[in-house]
């Protein structure tokens, strides 16, 4: 209906609400980074139960504590766990350098014509130079070339001289790695105020990691990585004013991520795009296998002498045959890892008795895990083997397949081999990861609702500091990190660790450390040995307790997840050290912001502390800090309606009412020390804050004060002799 007042009418207009509702932000969405049996590498995957975790990431392994942590998380009340699998990377800023490999096997077809096949003598990844190529003659046709290209990221400035000064700094980031800080010293220059490009390049090269500087014709910075994954940025520093490097991010170019480490998948993409009638696949051990799409004696394939030597292809002419055996189906682990070395594939005649269909069965350690009936090798068929087995929703969780021929395979059984977990050389960087490459912790960047962070079992200073930095800085204070203690820590040992070794004490309100590790029932004696109990890091269990406490009642996030009720730990049978059972030992660690895990006669095993690492901040307790995170996140998303509206008194009043209404609801959920709104919180959007200069700058400022609850850490009983009867008697006697 038109709202124009042109004729006499009744017009209905719905007014915008004066108070907006604010949706509560989630508080117990956990993210965990660690080693798993299988699963995608460097990718965050949501698991809502331990069964779902096992389906996607496998079971228990001796190299991983993440599966044990996931079990404890769900057993104690957790419901949403984003899991990131990590392995060792030769370069953490290059996801393609993950060292885990897939197990591979081939289903063979016989009795028909075969393709011409050419196999590399070298294994991927291949170290190439720019414009090196793979030159092939296919079926006697003219040579075709697949050219591999790459250029490093670079930043250039003038030739100088540059007016530097002693102590000036230059900040840069190479290939998404940590920020590097260079300090120029006058002693390294003939005249630092007239620094030459050669001198500046020498000073940079003495300090930079992963890149280099050159001085001709002008001063140029270049990444060591050559390809599309190359990145370079000067992020700041006082020296860049005279040097004048651009602040933009320079990116490498080419058709591969890194020319010095070209993967088999990249060879496949480049070759199949440039050379018709050739298929490329990865063979056992990382070799590259080329084969013609045609078959029989007329199918030929030859690598020319101008082919890059790094591939190791011979230059002989290879031909197909009229009738013989050839690889018809390539089968590999769905994920990289040694788990697939235990897999077998059985090919049987199709259950529909068709002469053009076959059944494929996946067997693990002698047990049939999956069955895919009536498959074909015809790409246009609805039961095409790749369509069925590789389906993202209903396909195999163990393997993926690639059809190489359309020749029907005979019944057979094959084993997969060559899988590797990629754990050799595993270090802190593999867990911390790269912001640019989205590996390690940064694979969780895409999880917007993330609220808890754990890295089970990787209790090192570097990892702990990175977790704190990620929670407070990278995620802008919206995430809380649960830190595990290192193994075999006594009370004095954990105090030394937190106060000096890792220097965690007083570091941040966005993390808490729990001690000691705990023992649980051995869930897999075939993996962990015959012992009845195994020692595990407690972070998964702690995060589960957080989740259970949050959901126990409206406003549960404000409660301290500690004590014999809220802090009960299910599944915990004991502790790595009995020192934590002694009050005097707990007296030693507690002042250093370490939360003990303990028990007592007739008591459950429980969390006996709710302190963050920092005691002199605004919100130094776990429930307090996490409650404020919840309020801040809820307000942030609930006030989106106000952005880009005219900054009037009416808008500011609406913002104030909206915030107040939300805080009143939280007050009724026991978020604050009082149920009197005047004492519980305040909301200020006054003209004193929103001055004309603030409004002209496009800002609306609301100041919110919260009188948050503090836990009762110490219960003090004052006991004395009851002398009231004696005093009454004395008073009656007139004394």
């Amino acid at each position: 209906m038109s709202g124009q007042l042109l004729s006499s009418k009744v017009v209905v207009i719905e007014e915008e609400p004066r108070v907006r509702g604010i949706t509560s932000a989630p508080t117990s969405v956990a993210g965990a980074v660690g080693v798993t049996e299988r699963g995608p590498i460097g990718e965050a995957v949501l698991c809502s139960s331990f069964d779902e975790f096992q389906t996607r990431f496998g079971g228990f392994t001796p190299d991983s504590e993440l599966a044990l942590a996931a079990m404890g998380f769900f057993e104690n009340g957790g419901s949403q766990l984003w899991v990131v699998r990590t392995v060792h990377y030769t370069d953490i800023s290059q996801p393609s350098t993950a060292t885990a490999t897939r197990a591979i096997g081939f289903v063979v077809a016989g009795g028909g014509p075969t393709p011409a096949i050419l196999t590399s003598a070298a294994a991927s990844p291949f170290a190439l130079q720019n414009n090196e190529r793979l030159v092939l003659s296919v079926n006697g046709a003219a040579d075709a070339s697949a050219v591999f290209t790459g250029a490093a990221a670079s930043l250039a400035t003038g030739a100088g001289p540059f007016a530097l000064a002693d102590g000036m700094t230059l900040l840069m980031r190479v290939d998404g790695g940590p920020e590097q800080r260079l300090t120029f010293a006058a002693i390294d220059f003939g005249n630092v105020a007239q620094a030459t490009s050669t001198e500046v390049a020498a000073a940079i090269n003495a300090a930079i990691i992963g890149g280099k500087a050159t001085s001709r014709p002008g001063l140029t910075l270049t990444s060591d990585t050559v390809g599309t994954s190359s990145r370079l940025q000067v992020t700041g520093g006082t020296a860049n004013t005279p040097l004048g490097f651009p602040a933009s991010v320079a990116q490498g170019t080419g058709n591969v991520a890194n020319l010095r480490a070209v993967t088999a998948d990249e060879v496949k993409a480049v070759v199949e795009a440039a050379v018709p009638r050739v298929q490329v696949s990865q063979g056992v051990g990382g070799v590259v296998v080329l084969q013609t799409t045609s078959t029989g004696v007329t199918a030929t394939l030859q690598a020319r002498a101008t082919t890059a030597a790094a591939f190791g292809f011979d230059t002989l002419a290879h031909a197909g045959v009229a009738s013989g055996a050839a690889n018809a189906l390539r089968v590999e682990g769905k994920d990289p890892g040694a788990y697939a070395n235990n897999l077998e594939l059985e090919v049987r005649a199709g259950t529909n008795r068709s002469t053009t269909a076959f059944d494929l069965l996946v067997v693990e350690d002698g047990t049939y895990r999956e069955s895919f009936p009536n498959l074909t090798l015809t790409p246009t068929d609805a039961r095409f083997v790749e369509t069925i087995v590789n389906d993202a929703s209903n396909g195999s969780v163990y393997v993926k397949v690639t059809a190489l021929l359309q020749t029907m395979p005979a019944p057979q059984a094959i084993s997969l081999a060559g899988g590797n977990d990629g754990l050799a050389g595993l270090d802190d960087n593999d867990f911390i990861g790269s912001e640019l490459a989205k590996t390690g912790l940064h694979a969780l960047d895409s999880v917007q609702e993330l609220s808890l962070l754990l890295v089970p079992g990787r209790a090192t200073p570097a990892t702990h500091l990175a977790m704190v930095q990620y929670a407070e800085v990278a995620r802008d204070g919206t995430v809380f990190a649960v830190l595990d203690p290192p193994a075999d820590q006594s009370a004095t040992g954990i105090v030394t660790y937190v106060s000096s070794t890792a220097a965690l004490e007083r570091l941040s309100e966005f993390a808490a450390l729990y001690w000691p590790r705990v023992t649980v029932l051995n869930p897999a004696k075939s993996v962990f040995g015959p012992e009845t109990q195994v020692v595990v890091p407690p972070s998964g269990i702690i995060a589960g307790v957080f989740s259970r406490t949050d959901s126990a009642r409206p406003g549960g996030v404000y409660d301290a997840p500690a004590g014999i009720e809220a802090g009960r730990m299910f599944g915990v049978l004991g502790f790595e050290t009995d020192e934590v059972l002694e009050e005097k030992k707990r007296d030693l660690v507690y002042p250093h912001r370490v939360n003990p895990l303990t028990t007592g006669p007739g008591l459950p095993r429980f969390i006996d502390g709710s302190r963050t690492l920092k005691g002199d901040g605004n919100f130094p307790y776990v429930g307090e800090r996490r409650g404020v995170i919840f309020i801040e996140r809820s307000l942030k998303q609930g006030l989106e309606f106000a952005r880009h509206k005219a900054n009037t008194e009416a808008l500011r009043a609406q913002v104030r009412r909206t915030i107040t209404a939300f805080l009143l609801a939280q007050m009724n959920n026991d978020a604050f020390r009082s149920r009197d709104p005047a004492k519980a919180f305040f909301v200020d959007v006054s003209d004193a804050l929103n001055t004309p200069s603030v409004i002209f700058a496009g800002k609306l400022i609301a100041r919110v004060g919260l009188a948050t609850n503090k836990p009762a850490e110490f219960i003090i009983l004052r006991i004395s002799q009851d002398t009231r009867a004696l005093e009454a008697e004395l008073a009656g006697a007139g004394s």
Side-chain angles (χ1 to χ4, degrees):
M1 180 177 66
S2 172
Q4 292 181 301
L5 303 179
L6 301 177
S7 64
S8 176
K9 65 180 70 175
V10 175
V11 177
V12 177
I13 300 175
E14 291 191 4
E15 291 188 347
E16 183 177 320
R18 299 178 65 200
V19 179
R20 294 271 183 163
I22 292 183
T23 303
S24 296
T27 60
S28 51
V29 178
V33 179
V35 175
T36 63
E37 182 183 33
R38 51 187 170 87
I41 296 171
E43 176 186 337
V45 178
L46 177 62
C47 299
S48 56
S49 68
F50 188 56
D51 286 342
E52 192 172 343
F53 172 89
Q54 289 180 302
T55 298
R56 197 65 194 91
F57 290 95
F60 302 103
T61 71
D63 301 306
S64 167
E65 294 182 289
L66 179 49
L68 293 164
M71 179 180 70
F73 175 76
F74 291 112
E75 186 176 10
N76 279 274
S79 60
Q80 295 187 66
L81 181 65
W82 289 86
V83 178
V84 176
R85 179 190 177 195
T86 193
V87 299
H88 179 55
Y89 297 82
T90 56
D91 181 352
I92 198 65
S93 66
Q94 309 289 343
S96 62
T97 66
T99 56
T101 58
R102 286 183 170 87
I104 299 174
F106 292 91
V107 172
V108 176
T114 68
I117 297 174
L118 179 60
T119 303
S120 68
S124 60
F126 304 101
L128 303 178
Q129 300 295 322
N130 189 35
N131 288 321
E132 284 200 303
R133 58 196 62 209
L134 176 54
V135 185
L136 298 171
S137 173
V138 183
N139 299 338
D143 291 353
S145 295
V147 183
F148 296 84
T149 61
S154 64
L155 293 170
T157 187
F162 304 101
L164 299 179
D166 185 47
M168 276 189 167
T169 59
L170 186 67
L171 306 179
M172 68 178 66
R173 194 183 300 274
V174 182
D175 294 340
E179 192 173 64
Q180 301 184 47
R181 181 186 184 92
L182 293 72
T183 302
F184 294 102
I187 194 173
D188 295 328
F189 300 86
N191 179 359
V192 70
Q194 292 290 314
T196 68
S197 58
T198 301
E199 290 174 322
V200 175
I204 292 174
N205 288 333
I208 190 175
I209 299 172
K212 59 182 177 293
T214 56
S215 58
R216 292 183 180 84
L219 183 61
T220 303
L221 298 176
T222 307
S223 166
D224 289 342
T225 301
V226 180
T228 57
S229 62
S230 178
R231 300 285 190 279
L232 192 62
Q233 182 182 19
V234 172
T235 54
T238 54
N240 202 38
T241 298
L243 291 176
F245 283 111
S248 58
V249 179
Q251 295 184 250
T253 59
N255 59 6
V256 295
N258 183 359
L259 266 177
R260 307 293 185 258
V262 178
T263 67
D265 286 341
E266 289 176 320
V267 174
K268 175 180 174 66
V270 174
V271 172
E272 291 186 356
V275 184
R277 302 182 299 281
V278 168
Q279 288 182 319
V280 183
S281 63
Q282 181 178 336
V284 177
V287 299
V288 167
V289 180
L290 312 179
Q291 66 180 54
T292 56
T293 55
S294 58
T295 58
V297 294
T298 59
T300 61
L301 185 59
Q302 184 176 17
R304 297 304 194 186
T306 50
T307 291
F311 291 116
F313 286 114
D314 65 59
T315 56
L316 301 175
H318 298 261
V321 297
S323 179
N327 295 332
L329 185 67
R330 181 174 184 266
V331 185
E332 59 186 335
K334 181 172 183 176
D335 305 304
Y339 80 95
N341 295 338
N342 299 320
L343 298 180
E344 293 181 350
L345 275 292
E346 284 189 18
V347 177
R348 297 179 179 177
T351 54
N352 63 359
R353 301 183 183 276
S354 168
T355 58
T356 60
F358 61 94
D359 294 350
L360 190 65
L361 297 89
V362 181
V363 185
E364 182 184 37
D365 293 329
T367 302
Y368 289 93
R369 299 296 188 188
E370 296 175 328
S371 177
F372 301 95
N374 303 319
L375 305 176
T376 75
L377 290 170
T378 305
T380 56
D381 194 280
R383 298 294 298 175
F384 179 47
V385 62
E386 290 187 25
T387 302
I388 302 301
V389 177
N390 298 345
D391 183 78
S393 301
N394 301 312
S396 175
V397 299
Y398 293 95
V399 299
K400 67 177 183 178
V401 298
T402 304
L404 303 175
L405 294 176
Q406 295 189 31
T407 304
M408 177 72 175
Q412 59 193 281
I414 66 166
S415 298
L416 302 191
N420 185 284
D421 289 327
L423 302 184
L426 193 72
D427 60 24
D428 289 331
N429 286 326
D430 299 315
F431 293 84
I432 297 168
S434 163
E435 180 180 0
L436 179 65
K438 302 305 179 187
T439 52
L441 295 175
H442 293 281
L444 295 166
D445 288 355
S446 61
V447 184
Q448 294 183 349
E449 295 182 340
L450 184 72
S451 49
L452 297 173
L453 177 67
L454 44 151
V455 182
R458 196 70 188 184
T460 65
T463 301
H464 279 163
L465 292 171
M467 290 174 68
V468 172
Q469 191 276 341
Y470 184 79
E472 183 170 355
V473 181
R475 296 303 293 254
D476 200 24
T478 60
V479 172
F480 192 87
V482 182
L483 309 186
D484 285 313
D488 301 316
Q489 292 292 306
S490 64
T492 55
I494 196 65
V495 168
T496 300
Y497 178 81
V498 74
S499 60
S500 59
T501 306
L504 295 171
E505 189 174 356
R506 302 184 66 181
L507 181 63
S508 173
E509 291 180 357
F510 294 88
L513 177 68
Y514 295 84
W515 167 81
R517 301 201 306 172
V518 299
T519 60
V520 300
L521 188 67
N522 187 343
K525 291 186 177 181
S526 61
V527 175
F528 300 115
E531 294 81 5
T532 304
Q533 300 180 19
V534 292
V535 179
V536 303
S539 58
I541 294 169
I542 302 297
V545 172
F546 282 14
S547 182
R548 187 181 74 233
T549 304
D550 291 355
S551 60
R553 68 172 187 88
V557 69
Y558 305 118
D559 295 335
I564 63 173
E565 294 179 350
R568 287 175 300 160
M569 298 182 293
F570 296 122
V572 174
L573 303 178
F575 305 99
E576 188 177 34
T577 173
D578 287 339
E579 283 193 5
V580 78
L581 304 179
E582 303 176 38
E583 187 175 284
K584 63 180 180 181
K585 298 296 185 181
R586 299 197 299 273
D587 285 346
L588 180 64
V589 303
Y590 204 59
H592 294 276
R593 317 294 298 178
V594 175
N595 297 307
L597 310 176
T598 190
T599 188
L603 298 178
R605 289 159 183 94
F606 65 96
I607 303 168
D608 193 23
S610 185
R611 292 184 167 188
T612 69
L613 295 175
K614 187 175 182 179
D616 56 357
N618 276 334
F619 309 105
Y621 294 97
V622 173
E624 189 180 18
R625 177 70 266 178
R626 293 185 63 240
V628 173
I629 291 174
F630 161 71
I631 290 173
E632 290 174 347
R633 292 182 67 172
S634 300
L635 290 178
K636 183 176 180 179
Q637 66 186 34
L639 294 175
E640 284 287 337
F641 77 89
R643 292 202 303 134
H644 305 299
K645 288 190 174 181
N647 194 349
T648 63
E649 289 185 3
L651 178 66
R652 295 193 291 276
Q654 187 179 22
V655 167
R656 179 182 57 77
R657 287 192 296 268
T658 299
I659 296 174
T660 299
F662 177 75
L663 294 181
L664 282 171
Q666 303 316 306
M667 181 189 71
N668 292 327
N669 288 336
D670 296 326
F672 310 120
R673 292 194 295 273
S674 172
R675 286 212 170 193
D676 179 354
K679 297 178 180 178
F681 62 87
F682 69 79
V683 182
D684 181 8
V685 292
S686 65
D687 292 343
L689 291 175
N690 293 279
T691 62
S693 61
V694 168
I695 294 173
F696 268 80
K699 301 176 184 178
L700 188 161
I701 297 176
R703 185 166 178 261
V704 179
L706 307 173
T708 52
N709 272 319
K710 306 288 182 181
E713 294 184 283
F714 310 100
I715 307 299
I716 301 172
L717 302 178
R718 294 179 176 174
I719 300 176
S720 63
Q721 182 68 253
D722 186 350
T723 61
R724 289 175 298 174
L726 177 60
E727 290 171 356
E729 182 180 347
L730 293 174
S735 300

